[in-house]
Amino acid sequence: MECRPGCAACCIVISISSPIPGMPRGKPAGIPCIHLTADYRCGLFGRPERPAVCSSLPPSLEMCGQSNEEAFAILTALEQATKPGDPAS
Ligand code: SF4
Ligand code: SF4
């Protein structure tokens, strides 16, 4: 499938641990990437400084669902399921 323009769920919901230009420690979950444009596109698209993790994340029905709302819900669940556990628990 193609990425849905204006979705940006994966640029907001999930954490990115690798450095992003201007975000040297990556991106926390739930925080929009600073390269997300006002119309929810990647400001680094096609540029060499775009993180490899972004370029190599293919859109898929499993991740993106059939609507932007579904993508946000799927990725929120995925982020919750994969975040490091609380060492105190
Ligand atoms: S979740 Fe999928 S459709 Fe939405 S921006 Fe990311 S790749 Fe594109
Ligand atoms: S660099 Fe682009 S694709 Fe990667 S998280 Fe930021 S806006 Fe999204």
Side-chain angles (χ1 to χ4, degrees):
M1 70 171 278
E2 298 281 312
C3 175
R4 274 188 306 273
C7 170
C10 56
C11 305
I12 299 172
V13 175
I14 56 176
S15 58
I16 296 178
S17 56
S18 60
I20 298 170
M23 301 180 97
R25 300 181 65 190
K27 186 191 90 53
I31 304 292
C33 174
I34 60 170
H35 299 290
L36 200 55
T37 62
D39 59 352
Y40 274 27
R41 292 169 187 267
C42 175
L44 297 180
F45 191 82
R47 291 170 55 176
E49 58 268 43
R50 190 183 192 215
V53 65
C54 301
S55 309
S56 62
L57 185 70
S60 67
L61 195 57
E62 293 74 28
M63 178 178 83
C64 310
Q66 309 219 32
S67 66
N68 297 357
E69 292 72 24
E70 211 179 327
F72 273 80
I74 292 169
L75 285 167
T76 298
L78 198 65
E79 179 66 31
Q80 286 293 324
T82 57
K83 76 176 180 186
D86 180 352
S89 64

